[in-house]
Amino acid sequence: APVRQPSYRASSTTADPKDASGWFTIIHPFHPLRGTRYELLERRKTWSTDRVFYFDSEGTQRSFATNLTDVVPPDAFLEASAGRAPFRLADLLELRERLDLQSAKKAGINHA
């Protein structure tokens, strides 16, 4: 009997491992090593984080979170905002929530 092909299509947002160049670059705008290129040893999930592993110049295995690199596809928000909106609404709301919580803790401790 012929082998059935899967009826689903490949995800258009997932990188094709066949397209991997074997190299990655640090692209986070505030990282001190931005623009540095490394040979990709492997990519795996560790410590609940997607990471890329490489050997540094001394031969020690090290890693970066993939969101600091060009291994993951570009962020749709960053692409669409084109630098006009540096913060996502969800991130700002979370920040406000944390600041409110911090203020409440301080108010409860300081009885002046």
Side-chain angles (χ1 to χ4, degrees):
V3 176
R4 292 187 57 173
Q5 293 295 326
S7 59
Y8 59 87
R9 295 186 312 169
S11 171
S12 62
T13 59
T14 305
D16 185 349
K18 293 180 283 193
D19 294 340
S21 68
W23 292 85
F24 68 92
T25 304
I26 304 300
I27 60 168
H28 190 278
F30 304 118
H31 197 284
L33 297 175
R34 182 180 182 180
T36 308
R37 190 169 155 93
Y38 298 96
E39 187 169 7
L40 178 65
L41 178 61
E42 70 175 312
R43 177 181 176 182
R44 69 176 187 259
K45 193 167 191 163
T46 56
W47 306 296
S48 300
T49 306
D50 190 17
R51 302 186 74 80
V52 289
F53 290 81
Y54 68 100
F55 288 118
D56 67 10
S57 59
E58 297 174 3
T60 304
Q61 182 176 318
R62 301 203 181 269
S63 68
F64 288 110
T66 54
N67 64 345
L68 300 175
T69 71
D70 62 354
V71 172
V72 290
D75 183 293
F77 173 82
L78 296 177
E79 295 276 311
S81 68
R84 296 181 303 265
F87 304 105
R88 292 175 177 83
L89 177 60
D91 295 337
L92 291 173
L93 292 172
E94 181 182 346
L95 176 61
R96 177 57 192 255
E97 192 174 303
R98 289 180 184 210
L99 290 171
D100 288 345
L101 181 61
Q102 187 67 26
S103 293
K105 285 181 181 179
K106 284 183 180 180
I109 293 171
N110 185 1
H111 298 294

